[in-house]
């Protein structure tokens, strides 16, 4: 322990470190080679995990990290949160390993491998999904594989290889829906394969 106040490294946490300037940070029992560095009221649980800065951040698995931010939680291994507030990466029936949230607020990844939320607020990548992303926007939901929503609001994708860009209240849905895109517009919907909607309002493409 190097500096700080009210810091605790619990039993069987071999090789763990607290360094520099923080207050009331904890490395939990059986959390070998883990660290908290600066920050306030942070909690590290799990081997080879780290919290650097921020406040009320928490890791609950191995090989995970939180770097700054407020009230962020990582509970899946090889997962990371960088900044933002009230974000979480959790396992939900499926693992969320190798996933990241960057600079977002009130966002979550649950049961989605190798996925990312970058910016925005109240965005969610949920089970079942993998290799998917949300880039900015607000209140978007991704479910499926290789799906993306970029700068949308209240949009939903599912299926495979689906993307919504710069749209509002648009949906790409269906277990067999794939290779489809919505670009812009409002309240557009795709339920088919290899379909595209460019702008406009209340358009539907099926197959």
């Amino acid at each position: 322990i190097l500096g700080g106040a009210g810091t605790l490294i619990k039993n069987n946490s071999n090789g763990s470190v607290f360094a520099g300037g923080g207050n009331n940070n904890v490395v939990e029992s059986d959390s070998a080679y883990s660290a908290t560095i600066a920050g306030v009221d942070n909690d590290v649980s799990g081997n080879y995990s780290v919290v650097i800065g921020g406040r009320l951040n928490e890791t609950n698995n191995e090989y995970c990290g939180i770097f700054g931010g407020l009230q962020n939680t990582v509970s899946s291994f090889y997962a990371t949160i960088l900044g933002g507030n009230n974000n979480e990466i959790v396992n939900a029936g499926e693992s969320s390993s190798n996933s990241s949230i960057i600079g977002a607020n009130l966002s979550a990844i649950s049961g989605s491998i190798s996925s990312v939320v970058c910016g925005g607020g109240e965005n969610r990548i949920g089970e079942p999904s993998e290799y998917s992303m949300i880039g900015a926007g607000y209140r978007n939901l991704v479910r499926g594989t290789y799906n993306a929503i970029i700068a949308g609001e209240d949009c939903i994708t599912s299926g495979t290889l689906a993307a919504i860009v710069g749209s509002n209240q648009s949906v790409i849905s269906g277990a067999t829906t794939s290779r489809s895109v919505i670009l812009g517009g409002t309240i557009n919907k795709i339920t088919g394969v290899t379909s595209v909607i460019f702008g406009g309002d209340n358009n539907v493409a099926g197959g």
Side-chain angles (χ1 to χ4, degrees):
I1 296 176
L2 303 175
T7 297
L8 178 63
I9 298 177
K10 293 187 177 181
N11 296 333
N12 300 317
S13 294
N14 298 329
S16 293
V17 175
F18 169 79
N23 293 294
N24 300 314
N25 296 304
V26 177
V27 176
E28 297 289 349
S29 300
D30 302 308
S31 299
Y33 305 103
S34 294
T36 67
I37 300 173
V40 178
D41 297 321
N42 294 314
D43 190 287
V44 175
S45 178
N47 299 330
Y48 307 101
S49 294
V50 62
V51 175
I52 299 177
R55 184 176 182 186
L56 295 168
N57 296 306
E58 180 178 0
T59 68
N60 293 302
N61 212 318
E62 297 183 343
Y63 303 100
C64 34
I66 298 174
F67 301 89
L70 172 68
Q71 288 188 304
N72 296 307
T73 302
V74 175
S75 300
S76 190
F77 61 93
Y78 298 113
T80 304
I81 294 177
L82 283 73
N85 68 82
N86 294 280
N87 300 301
E88 63 177 5
I89 301 176
V90 298
N91 298 325
E94 300 291 337
S95 173
S96 293
S97 63
N98 299 292
S99 292
S100 298
I101 297 176
I102 303 169
N105 300 313
L106 298 164
S107 295
I109 298 175
S110 58
S112 182
I113 296 171
S114 299
S115 295
V116 61
V117 173
C118 185
E122 296 187 37
N123 293 309
R124 180 183 175 92
I125 301 177
E127 180 189 6
S129 59
E130 56 187 9
Y131 308 108
S132 294
M133 74 162 294
I134 297 175
Y138 181 60
R139 254 187 346 232
N140 298 299
L141 171 64
V142 168
R143 285 196 173 113
T145 302
Y146 304 111
N147 285 356
I149 298 175
I150 299 174
E153 182 175 347
D154 293 313
C155 293
I156 300 172
T157 67
S158 60
T160 305
L161 294 167
I164 298 175
V165 181
S167 186
N168 182 31
Q169 299 181 58
S170 293
V171 177
I172 299 176
S173 66
T176 61
T177 300
S178 65
R179 301 184 300 278
S180 295
V181 178
I182 295 174
L183 299 173
T186 303
I187 317 178
N188 294 312
K189 184 174 183 178
I190 292 176
T191 59
V193 176
T194 318
S195 299
V196 179
I197 295 176
F198 291 98
D201 301 326
N202 294 290
N203 297 301
V204 178

